[in-house]
Structure formats: C-alpha cells, structure tokens
Amino acid sequence: MDYLNAFWVGGMICALVQILMEKTKLMPGRIMVLLVVTGAVIGFLDWYEPFQEFAGAGASVPLLGFGNVLMKGVKEAVDEQGFLGLFAGGFKAGAVGTAAALIFGYLASLIFKPKMKK
C-alpha cells in the first residue's frame, strides 16, 4: 500500500504541475519556486509530516519535499541560534541535496556529452 500511495500522490503532484504549465502563462522556474514555497508553508504549518507519512516518497521526492527540508532547517536553526538561524538554517539543511544535484549533474554531463540546442 505504501508504494501505491507514493505513486498516486507523486503522480497527482506532477499532474497538477503539468496543468499549471499548460493552462497558465507561468514559466517553469516560477512553478518550481511555487512548489518549494508551498512545501515550506505546509512544513511551517506542521501539516507536512502527516502528509509524508501517508504518501512516503511521493511527498518527499518532489520540490515540495525540498521546501519542507528548508523549513525544518530554519526552524531548528532559529531554536539554536535565534534570529541568525533564519539565514543559516536553510543553507545547512539544503546543502547536501544541492551538492548532490550539482555533483551528479556534472558527472552526467561528462558521461553523456550534452550539446547546446540550436
């Protein structure tokens, strides 16, 4: 059942994003920012944990999950450092995921030799 929930929740998130891309004039970058901010807001309201328990990877893998990770990091850093945690927490929490994306993207570019579109 966990796999089924992950599949349909992740698919629903992707379908909603596709509808936004097709029916609005929003650019993909803005939609990505919208997803990250939505995940951060849901995390701030403490609704993300029950959502993630239900949906598993369907909730944690998309950009909503990245927004939630950033919000968790900010909450923890604010508790530890006070006001300065607002600035440090998101960087600390998102560093591993961001670094992994950069490293694996670079490795993929070495293997597949990408070319510019004409």
Side-chain angles (χ1 to χ4, degrees), residues 33-97:
V33 169
L34 180 67
L35 286 169
V36 173
V37 170
T38 302
V41 170
I42 293 171
F44 175 76
L45 297 172
D46 290 328
W47 296 346
Y48 206 86
E49 290 300 321
F51 176 57
Q52 190 170 3
E53 285 178 22
F54 172 75
S60 62
V61 173
L63 286 171
L64 290 172
F66 185 66
N68 181 51
V69 166
L70 293 178
M71 181 52 69
K72 268 196 216 175
V74 168
K75 280 184 180 179
E76 291 172 7
V78 166
D79 290 342
E80 294 172 6
Q81 302 171 2
F83 180 73
L84 291 177
L86 285 172
F87 306 104
F91 288 116
K92 185 177 178 183
V96 172

Side-chain angles (χ1 to χ4, degrees), residues 5-19 51 58 62 64:
N5 286 340
F7 178 77
W8 78 263
V9 170
M12 187 65 68
I13 292 169
C14 292
L16 290 172
V17 168
Q18 189 66 40
I19 290 169
F51 176 57
L64 290 172

Side-chain angles (χ1 to χ4, degrees), residues 93-117:
V96 172
T98 304
L102 290 171
I103 290 168
F104 289 122
Y106 178 71
L107 290 175
S109 73
L110 292 176
I111 294 169
F112 295 107
K113 305 285 186 207
K115 294 178 176 67
M116 297 295 291
K117 290 184 177 180

